[in-house]
Amino acid sequence: MSAAVLEVSDLTLRFGGLTSLDKVSLRHERGEVLAVIGPNGAGKTSLFNCLTGVYTPQEGTVTFHPDGGTDTAVLGRKPFQVNKLGIARTFQNIRLFNALTAVENVKIGIESHQKTGPIGAMLRLPRTRREERASDDEAFRLLEFVGLKARANQVAASLPYGDQRRLEIARALGTKPQLLCLDEPAAGTNPAEKRQLETLIRDISETGVSVLLIEHDMKLVMSVAANVVVLNFGQVIAAGTPQQIQRDPKVVEAYLGGGESDDAATTPPAKKVPPRKTSLKKPED
Amino acid sequence: MTTVDAVQRGSTWSGVQRWARRDEVRRAACLVALMVTIAVITGPDGSQNSPYSGLRGSLLSRHAIPFYVLAVILAATSLAGGRWTTAATAPVRALRQRTTGIVIPKPVKLVALALLAVLVLYYPTTLAPFWQTVLVDQMGIYVLLAVGLNVVVGFAGLLDLGYIAFFAIGAYTTAYFTDKLPVHPPFTLNPFFVFPIAVGAALLAGVILGGPTLRLRGDYLAIVTLGFGEIVRITAVNSDAITNGPQGAFGIPHFSAFGYHWTLDSLPYYYLLLVVVALVVFFFRRLDDSRVGRAWAAIREDEVAAAATGIPTLKFKLMAFAIGASTSGFAGVIYASKVGFINPDNFPLLLSILVLTMVIFGGMGSIYGVILGAAVLGWLPNYLRDYVPAQDRFIYFGALLIVMMIFRPQGLLPSRRRSRELRLSELGIGGADGTGPIPGSTQ
Ligand SMILES: Nc1ncnc2c1ncn2[C@@H]1O[C@H](COP(=O)(O)OP(=O)(O)O)[C@@H](O)[C@H]1O
Ligand SMILES: [Mg+2]
């Protein structure tokens, strides 16, 4: 019997007259990669913002089931508290600490769990030194894990786009999450970087971290996700395995009927493929 | 694209327009205008009968020549500087430099340190008493204040315009515990032993002010802290029964501890400040290079991302605020004991702004930078005293700041992180002004 790591039920988020999320429910099984797809403006990022304490939805509940812990309500917590619970995230528009180096970015994530305060830091107490060493080791381990060890001392803003995406993932992993939420990690990356990312998501999943993935790139979704939830106009229109989703007429309709559903940057070749149906079934290379 | 059209048409006029729009040309024009303005302001006054005689006297006389020369040099520097860095990629290229600074060989370091030690330990003893007083009252105290404010503004990126209020709290606490106020303390202390109490009081005030206000962003925080600074000063003016109103406190004794008695002589105060600043620098450098310092850097760079990375942003901001406030309170005790009398006029808004200026001038976030900045800006008006009329002194002060902000906005000795931030914000990546990214843009 599999257990859920996250349960969302009847989540509704409104901005004035606009309903950005409309009774969204989903269940994320522990350890699996769950993809959330949908045309632009469907409410995917809004969902992440609700899960991570940035937005406060008007209705609904979000329950996090930490491994070996008690069920916890996520809503009503501040972003840093949500992170402490074990839910980490990345941003659709990369938000690194741009002027800091790659290793500093990751250390900041790791150190959010440490205890050293200003007095300890000023006196460099034994615990401070121990934590500092642990943070260094862990930061380099994570950079190696995401394939950025050689770039450790480079300034974040100077890294290529794909590396920035992976650095953001490493920073999130530094906070020791049980659930990692990735908001369009492949957006703006080149095909080689996409393949690296695919491997990385698998590797993360293998370490036991559950991954909630927003992604436009269907090839990536098909290859890494165990289950898919499709959002359109703030509503869940379909949920199931990638194979089921591909065949679902409602999904095809949403992608075809939505007209300009994706921005060109995320799926450039899709525009060339006339029926979106095929682009769903046989994703572009 | 209009510029493309212009190029195709090859019109001279639009070429000139394009040229005039370039940053370095604008900068050069600003500098020339600045120098001419100074030439006029510092020149002779006009009179009722010939209102333009002042202008003529300023601009067409020998008096103006140094300013013209300076204007030409500065403008040329700006234009040449532009030529070297206008390539759009230059800032990014600069960013790719190795992040570990230049390695200075050990012997060079040791010699430099020895020279510095002689300079700070021995040189002051050779100075005239006037300069020794300047060294303490106008420079040393401000160095301490600036190093403290640097934690708030430079490390955590919080714009605090009420910083001098904590200085006042430290000074008034000293007056209270030396029994120089209308209200009497439960026990009297020598000012030296007021340090812990004053630091505690300033810290408490920092937490009380910071708790509710540090939720505000950027400009809003600046306004609230500005208000707080004024509230403290005005309270001191009006609470006659407690603070003795505008008269303030007189006869606060000099420090006296461990068998040593400080006196009117400035030098012993100088050495005390030297020790205090050295300790503070030692501790704050460790702070900067720690979990706490990195959390501050994260908050300064992107508060939303910092929170998403598990940093309790309010707690860390409060920490920075309280550490800054304590340092300011500490400096207040030294000031009260050194000068011996305090009143509300010693703590105007202008002083908060002056300390902030010192921090920016020296290089926000760089401890050695702000020390240099505070020392230079504390020294300059006193130096000018001998050379320029009193009413002109601050125009030179202002001109220096403007020239500095044009040529070296990152400050005298910028911190590496900060100068990177500035370069990035020129490229439109992130904000370097401490206000973080645009509020509500959470994607
Ligand atoms: N802060 C906000 N204020 C107003 N409307 C918002 C806000 N955030 C998102 N929305 C709206 O919610 C809808 C869903 O947006 P979003 O979640 O970003 O979509 P997606 O990530 O699926 O592309 C859009 O119509 C968007 O304009
Ligand atoms: Mg989105």
Side-chain angles (χ1 to χ4, degrees), chain A residues 13-16 18-21 36-49 55 92 183-184 214 216 231 233-234 261 263, chain B residues 440-443:
Chain A
L13 174 72
R14 293 185 207 95
F15 292 107
L18 178 87
T19 304
S20 172
L21 293 172
V36 177
I37 64 169
N40 264 351
K44 305 181 296 295
T45 300
S46 300
L47 174 66
F48 268 29
N49 283 341
Y55 290 166
Q92 183 175 346
D183 197 346
E184 300 197 21
I214 293 181
H216 272 309
L231 279 182
F233 296 116
S261 53
D263 54 313
Chain B
S441 64
T442 310
Q443 284 235 293

Side-chain angles (χ1 to χ4, degrees), chain A:
Chain A
M1 193 193 86
S2 61
V5 65
L6 187 78
E7 273 177 293
V8 176
S9 62
D10 292 328
L11 205 62
T12 300
L13 174 72
R14 293 185 207 95
F15 292 107
L18 178 87
T19 304
S20 172
L21 293 172
D22 189 3
K23 291 198 183 307
V24 169
S25 299
L26 61 85
R27 186 182 156 86
H28 189 165
E29 303 300 334
R30 179 179 307 287
E32 78 166 27
V33 178
L34 175 65
V36 177
I37 64 169
N40 264 351
K44 305 181 296 295
T45 300
S46 300
L47 174 66
F48 268 29
N49 283 341
C50 290
L51 299 185
T52 53
V54 180
Y55 290 166
T56 314
Q58 280 80 7
E59 290 158 36
T61 58
V62 177
T63 315
F64 179 60
H65 306 282
D67 197 8
T70 50
D71 298 356
T72 326
V74 171
L75 297 184
R77 284 171 201 270
K78 297 203 176 72
F80 84 88
Q81 293 169 322
V82 174
N83 183 282
K84 288 254 155 34
L85 282 183
I87 303 177
R89 73 172 288 181
T90 63
F91 294 89
Q92 183 175 346
N93 306 338
I94 304 173
R95 299 187 81 139
L96 286 167
F97 306 124
N98 279 319
L100 307 191
T101 60
V103 68
E104 283 172 329
N105 268 276
V106 181
K107 279 175 83 172
I108 287 168
I110 295 163
E111 285 163 352
S112 68
H113 282 271
Q114 296 186 337
K115 302 243 155 23
T116 295
I119 306 282
M122 287 197 270
L123 300 179
R124 221 163 258 180
L125 298 174
R127 185 180 68 189
T128 310
R129 269 177 279 164
R130 212 166 41 238
E131 286 187 343
E132 181 86 19
R133 239 175 294 131
S135 146
D136 274 331
D137 294 347
E138 177 70 1
F140 278 101
R141 193 189 66 76
L142 280 171
L143 283 175
E144 190 161 30
F145 181 73
V146 300
L148 288 176
K149 197 170 182 186
R151 303 228 183 230
N153 285 318
Q154 291 190 11
V155 179
S158 74
L159 297 177
Y161 220 58
D163 288 357
Q164 291 196 18
R165 292 263 177 215
R166 281 183 293 150
L167 179 57
E168 215 190 2
I169 293 175
R171 181 182 71 185
L173 286 174
T175 65
K176 293 198 181 67
Q178 294 185 27
L179 173 63
L180 179 63
C181 305
L182 304 176
D183 197 346
E184 300 197 21
T189 58
N190 64 37
E193 289 170 335
K194 276 196 178 104
R195 276 192 298 279
Q196 285 178 325
L197 190 71
E198 194 179 312
T199 326
L200 178 60
I201 294 175
R202 282 224 192 78
D203 290 346
I204 293 170
S205 183
E206 262 161 36
T207 64
V209 176
S210 316
V211 178
L212 188 57
L213 172 72
I214 293 181
E215 192 43 72
H216 272 309
D217 189 275
M218 288 313 292
K219 186 180 172 217
L220 185 65
V221 169
M222 293 301 151
S223 89
V224 301
N227 278 296
V228 180
V229 171
V230 187
L231 279 182
N232 195 21
F233 296 116
Q235 288 174 326
V236 176
I237 56 167
T241 64
Q243 288 71 29
Q244 291 169 334
I245 293 298
Q246 274 182 311
R247 266 178 259 114
D248 195 311
K250 268 188 291 187
V251 178
V252 176
E253 160 80 12
Y255 271 83
L256 280 176
E260 278 302 294
S261 53
D262 302 334
D263 54 313
T266 55
T267 49
K271 283 192 164 177
K272 298 264 182 231
V273 184
R276 272 302 175 84
K277 196 171 170 184
T278 47
S279 92
L280 275 175
K281 257 184 186 162
K282 280 191 203 145
E284 68 278 354
D285 204 59

Side-chain angles (χ1 to χ4, degrees), chain B residues 170-245:
Chain B
Y172 270 97
T173 309
T174 315
Y176 175 67
F177 280 101
T178 51
D179 200 13
K180 302 297 171 194
L181 290 179
V183 281
H184 301 290
F187 49 88
T188 58
L189 290 170
N190 180 272
F192 198 88
F193 300 99
V194 181
F195 277 130
I197 305 173
V199 166
L203 191 136
L204 191 69
V207 172
I208 290 172
L209 170 67
T213 57
L214 285 173
R215 289 158 216 273
L216 302 170
R217 269 167 196 273
D219 330 2
Y220 300 101
L221 179 67
I223 297 298
V224 173
T225 51
L226 186 150
F228 174 75
E230 285 300 276
I231 288 170
V232 168
R233 189 181 63 80
I234 292 167
T235 307
V237 173
N238 290 310
S239 315
D240 295 80
I242 303 170
T243 63
N244 205 23

Side-chain angles (χ1 to χ4, degrees), chain B residues 103-414:
Chain B
V103 185
I104 303 165
K106 202 142 199 186
V108 178
K109 246 187 195 167
L110 286 178
V111 171
L113 267 179
L115 283 178
L116 189 71
V118 171
L119 187 72
V120 294
L121 290 175
Y122 174 70
Y123 179 64
T125 59
T126 65
L127 290 173
F130 167 76
W131 281 106
Q132 292 181 341
T133 307
V134 168
L135 202 57
V136 174
D137 294 12
Q138 315 275 320
M139 295 167 70
I141 300 256
Y142 284 94
V143 165
L144 186 54
L145 283 172
V147 170
L149 185 61
N150 182 45
V151 174
V152 186
V153 181
F155 291 175
L158 307 165
L159 193 46
D160 179 359
L161 290 182
Y163 185 64
I164 225 64
F166 305 112
F167 186 62
I169 288 170
Y172 270 97
T173 309
T174 315
Y176 175 67
F177 280 101
T178 51
D179 200 13
K180 302 297 171 194
L181 290 179
V183 281
H184 301 290
F187 49 88
T188 58
L189 290 170
N190 180 272
F192 198 88
F193 300 99
V194 181
F195 277 130
I197 305 173
V199 166
L203 191 136
L204 191 69
V207 172
I208 290 172
L209 170 67
T213 57
L214 285 173
R215 289 158 216 273
L216 302 170
R217 269 167 196 273
D219 330 2
Y220 300 101
L221 179 67
I223 297 298
V224 173
T225 51
L226 186 150
F228 174 75
E230 285 300 276
I231 288 170
V232 168
R233 189 181 63 80
I234 292 167
T235 307
V237 173
N238 290 310
S239 315
D240 295 80
I242 303 170
T243 63
N244 205 23
Q247 284 86 40
F250 294 90
I252 298 166
H254 288 290
F255 287 134
S256 167
F258 315 118
Y260 187 81
H261 306 286
W262 277 258
T263 58
L264 272 176
D265 186 7
S266 291
L267 263 191
Y269 276 99
Y270 169 75
Y271 288 114
L272 175 70
L273 268 168
L274 205 58
V275 171
V276 171
V277 170
L279 280 175
V280 168
V281 168
F282 175 75
F283 286 128
F284 284 6
R285 277 191 49 175
R286 285 181 159 193
L287 204 53
D288 189 27
D289 180 30
S290 75
R291 165 184 184 250
V292 180
R294 274 185 291 276
W296 284 334
I299 292 169
R300 194 177 69 210
E301 292 247 327
D302 187 337
E303 206 174 324
V304 174
T309 312
I311 296 172
T313 50
L314 187 62
K315 187 175 134 190
F316 275 94
K317 288 199 274 182
L318 204 53
M319 226 183 259
F321 211 66
I323 290 171
S326 322
T327 315
S328 190
F330 199 98
V333 180
I334 301 183
Y335 178 77
S337 169
K338 165 72 172 66
V339 176
F341 53 90
I342 53 166
N343 68 51
D345 286 344
N346 297 138
F347 312 105
L349 169 64
L350 199 63
L351 225 49
S352 290
I353 294 173
L354 179 64
V355 180
L356 182 65
T357 310
M358 289 166 166
V359 169
I360 296 170
F361 182 80
M364 258 193 269
S366 146
I367 295 180
Y368 297 119
V370 301
I371 291 177
L372 190 63
V376 168
L377 292 190
W379 163 84
L380 184 68
N382 292 291
Y383 174 75
L384 291 177
R385 202 185 289 256
D386 293 342
Y387 299 96
V388 299
Q391 74 269 22
D392 288 350
R393 212 178 299 149
F394 280 91
I395 181 85
Y396 290 102
F397 189 88
L400 174 68
L401 295 182
I402 294 177
V403 171
M404 181 73 184
M405 285 306 107
I406 288 178
F407 282 109
R408 220 178 147 75
Q410 68 272 41
L412 289 175
L413 297 175

